[in-house]
Amino acid sequence: MIYREFGKTGEKLSVLGFGGIRFPKELYMTETGREELSELVVEAWHKGINYFDTAPSYCNQKGESIYGLAFRHMKDFYVSTKSQISEDPTEDAVRRRLEVSLNRMGVDKIHFYHMWCILDIDQYRRIIAPGGPYWGAVKAREEGLIDHICFSAHCRGEEIAQIIREGYFEGVTLGYNVINGRFRQEGINAARKAGIGVITMNPLAGGVIPRNQDKFRFICEEEGQSTCEAALRYNAMTPGINVVLSGMSNYEELCANVRAMEAPLTCDEGYHQKIALKMDKMYDRLCTGCDYCQGCPQKIEISKLMLSYNQYILDGHKDNSMLYELQDVWKADLEENIPCIACKKCEKKCTQHLNIIERIKEINNVLNRHIRKYKDQLGFIFGTVHKVGFYGMGGRAEKVYRDYRQYFGEGEISAELFLFDKSPQKQGQEPFVKGVKIQAPMELEKYGLDLLIISSTVYFDEIYNELKYLEEYGVRIEGV
């Protein structure tokens, strides 16, 4: 295994990092499966990987616990976990989140603690504002509970560069691969100049490269090399990148990834220039992310849409590819069309003369198909029920309720409504329907519900396993 200095931290990290987000659901949802996955983590450590990345929400809240099982049998390793401003908006909230992570993993400190998933400069400003989450991490570092404060970003290269130049962080984790490398390169260049460590995620472009291996054969260095192996090495051979994260779900993937990172891994500028020329030649209709199209009178972030469209092109115009990019990468609202008025100001500014308006129309077509599917799902879920309950009083429950009223013109849901949440702080509140208060889960059985909607995607399996006994009493349980 090759090890590299991580910025100015003095730490030497393995060039291949273990990404803890790809554990198979059929394993992480059982105790024996989690033990099996922990053995995979230990095996990765034996093969020389010393950097292990996770987050509190990974694998239905089980990711950190899997690492905890493994860490009992390991020493001299580095762990990274995260805090997200949408979940932990204050320094006190970060402290609470950190303590949960420390307990789950059975460690005394987190080596690399990330301010997670920064999408733009405005969000970054909220993170570093007085009393914001960054300062919770600073206090924890002063107490020895954190070694290094880093950030992870899905924003553009120039925004990443700006964050780096302001000097709050010791490292950055960013999405980087042969497809989107040019969009993030400015951030990597700024990190090299500032002596900031760089970790890359998503080296296989969210599965686009494995699904389209023939289209990317040109990145292979030699005959017989797999495209996935070449894609990992492309990251590792990029000047300024210290660690390449890869999510590994079984022993075969672990061995393949370790082989891919064997020497030599020369950081060669010429190699990347050659690949860039081939990319331009083969995919000259891909948006380059230059962002000259900004300034839409409708406040549409054109470049984010066009970068999502890149993946749509490469993945054979599959709806799910577009929806994944819009929601998981750019956090877009999939229930609303893009309000383009076809003024073509963006097209006039586009250095590649892309047909942006037509692409936005196609994006809206994808969104409309998604909305119809979602509407059909809501219609099926509610059907002709008389008594319906929501379990989990977060934003998702209110959104589903609002969407049903919008799509079906009911004004109010005709069925009798009941709300449940296990949080004592929420019980007794009337969150979105006047006169309907949140009750404790122990009250579920007494109302004779026809339907129970679990309005948590993260905890669905866990909640369902607790409540599936209700199906014996005729309660239909659905998730949205």
Side-chain angles (χ1 to χ4, degrees):
M1 181 61 63
I2 297 169
Y3 299 88
R4 291 175 174 169
E5 294 279 351
F6 189 73
K8 298 177 182 177
T9 65
E11 316 287 9
K12 294 194 75 171
L13 309 185
S14 54
V15 68
L16 177 62
F18 197 110
I21 195 173
R22 301 295 182 191
F23 293 132
K25 187 174 184 179
E26 64 271 17
L27 292 179
Y28 69 65
M29 290 306 296
T30 68
E31 185 175 349
T32 55
R34 291 191 290 275
E35 287 283 357
E36 181 180 333
L37 291 170
S38 74
E39 293 171 5
L40 177 66
V41 176
V42 174
E43 186 60 36
W45 175 71
H46 281 303
K47 290 184 178 296
I49 295 175
N50 72 355
Y51 184 83
F52 297 87
D53 176 84
T54 187
S57 62
Y58 282 1
C59 303
N60 279 22
Q61 308 284 320
K62 301 296 190 296
E64 289 183 332
S65 299
I66 292 167
Y67 274 4
L69 294 171
F71 291 164
R72 298 173 186 174
H73 309 285
M74 296 163 51
K75 60 181 180 179
D76 300 327
F77 60 87
Y78 298 96
V79 63
S80 161
T81 193
K82 310 175 181 78
S83 172
Q84 190 169 11
I85 190 171
S86 60
E87 299 293 329
D88 312 310
T90 66
E91 58 183 77
D92 291 338
V94 165
R95 178 53 182 261
R96 291 192 293 270
R97 176 73 66 189
L98 174 62
E99 289 176 353
V100 171
S101 294
L102 291 169
N103 289 332
R104 282 177 175 175
M105 293 189 283
V107 294
D108 296 326
K109 64 179 178 180
I110 304 299
H111 304 98
F112 297 92
Y113 198 73
H114 282 75
M115 300 291 103
W116 188 19
C117 198
I118 296 178
L119 299 175
D120 52 44
I121 293 298
D122 288 342
Q123 184 179 339
Y124 160 67
R125 295 287 179 220
R126 295 198 303 275
I127 288 171
I128 63 169
Y134 174 80
W135 300 105
V138 169
K139 287 183 179 180
R141 184 175 61 188
E142 292 170 353
E143 297 176 47
L145 300 178
I146 292 172
D147 278 347
H148 309 289
I149 304 175
C150 306
F151 73 103
S152 78
H154 289 275
C155 42
R156 297 186 299 271
E158 61 268 27
E159 293 174 318
I160 295 171
Q162 180 179 341
I163 293 170
I164 287 170
R165 285 193 294 268
E166 294 191 12
Y168 285 93
F169 301 102
E170 297 178 81
V172 57
T173 297
L174 51 84
Y176 189 89
N177 52 63
V178 68
I179 298 171
N180 71 7
R182 71 184 87 181
F183 315 136
R184 304 276 161 74
Q185 193 61 51
E186 187 174 341
I188 292 177
N189 293 344
R192 290 178 69 190
K193 184 176 180 180
I196 296 296
V198 176
I199 298 161
T200 59
M201 55 186 166
N202 203 24
L204 301 181
V208 172
I209 292 174
R211 290 194 297 269
N212 299 275
Q213 293 199 43
D214 289 342
K215 295 179 181 178
F216 292 95
R217 292 290 180 201
F218 65 88
I219 68 174
C220 295
E221 302 166 79
E222 57 188 35
E223 190 72 27
Q225 185 181 50
S226 77
T227 308
C228 293
E229 179 182 348
L232 288 174
R233 290 179 64 84
Y234 173 86
N235 273 28
M237 293 167 65
T238 299
I241 292 177
N242 306 112
V243 179
V244 181
L245 287 178
S246 180
M248 292 169 265
S249 58
N250 57 58
Y251 184 74
E252 290 71 24
E253 289 180 1
L254 168 63
C255 292
N257 288 348
V258 170
R259 285 196 305 271
M261 292 303 198
E262 292 175 350
L265 284 175
T266 306
C267 293
D268 183 355
E269 303 264 10
Y271 164 73
H272 287 78
Q273 290 172 0
K274 181 174 66 175
I275 296 298
L277 288 172
K278 290 183 178 179
M279 277 290 293
D280 288 342
K281 184 177 180 180
M282 295 184 68
Y283 300 114
D284 64 336
R285 304 313 291 164
L286 296 181
C287 169
T288 63
C290 70
D291 210 28
Y292 286 120
C293 56
Q294 65 180 329
C296 171
Q298 295 293 95
K299 309 299 182 184
I300 299 170
E301 296 185 279
I302 302 294
S303 63
K304 290 182 179 180
L305 295 180
M306 294 303 102
L307 294 178
S308 297
Y309 199 89
N310 283 354
Q311 302 289 357
Y312 184 61
I313 292 172
L314 291 165
D315 210 14
H317 292 78
K318 295 177 181 176
D319 283 9
N320 284 343
S321 180
M322 172 68 73
L323 296 170
Y324 170 84
E325 284 294 309
L326 290 173
Q327 186 172 55
D328 286 30
V329 177
W330 298 116
K331 313 302 178 187
D333 185 349
L334 300 186
E335 270 61 69
E336 294 183 4
N337 272 200
I338 311 303
C340 176
I341 58 174
C343 66
K344 296 194 175 183
K345 288 184 178 180
C346 54
E347 289 192 356
K348 293 174 183 176
K349 296 178 181 180
C350 180
T351 58
Q352 297 172 265
H353 308 292
L354 299 177
N355 55 343
I356 295 173
I357 305 305
E358 289 303 313
R359 292 186 179 195
I360 291 177
K361 287 180 181 178
E362 192 163 358
I363 292 171
N364 277 334
N365 287 337
V366 171
L367 290 173
N368 285 332
R369 287 192 288 271
H370 167 74
I371 291 168
R372 285 196 297 271
K373 183 177 179 181
Y374 177 56
K375 181 177 176 180
D376 289 344
Q377 183 190 17
L378 289 181
F380 168 76
I381 286 175
F382 285 97
T384 56
V385 295
H386 301 289
K387 293 185 177 182
V388 57
F390 280 87
Y391 188 107
M393 289 298 104
R396 184 66 178 167
E398 184 171 359
K399 182 181 186 310
V400 171
Y401 178 83
R402 184 191 70 228
D403 289 346
Y404 181 84
R405 291 173 58 192
Q406 173 186 338
Y407 293 143
F408 296 96
E410 295 287 341
E412 297 288 344
I413 292 178
S414 56
E416 191 174 359
L417 188 65
F418 301 88
L419 307 177
F420 304 93
D421 198 284
K422 64 180 179 181
S423 171
Q425 288 76 26
K426 294 181 179 179
Q427 291 164 16
Q429 296 180 14
E430 299 178 5
F432 51 85
V433 181
K434 187 175 181 180
V436 180
K437 296 182 179 180
I438 299 173
Q439 303 180 65
M442 65 181 67
E443 305 294 325
L444 270 164
E445 296 182 35
K446 72 181 188 181
Y447 292 109
L449 299 178
D450 302 304
L451 168 68
L452 179 65
I453 296 172
I454 299 174
S455 51
S456 170
T457 54
V458 173
Y459 296 109
F460 175 83
D461 291 309
E462 184 176 328
I463 296 170
Y464 174 75
N465 287 332
E466 291 177 1
L467 301 178
K468 62 183 179 182
Y469 73 92
L470 293 171
E471 293 176 332
E472 298 176 8
Y473 301 97
V475 181
R476 179 161 55 91
I477 301 177
E478 297 284 352
V480 289

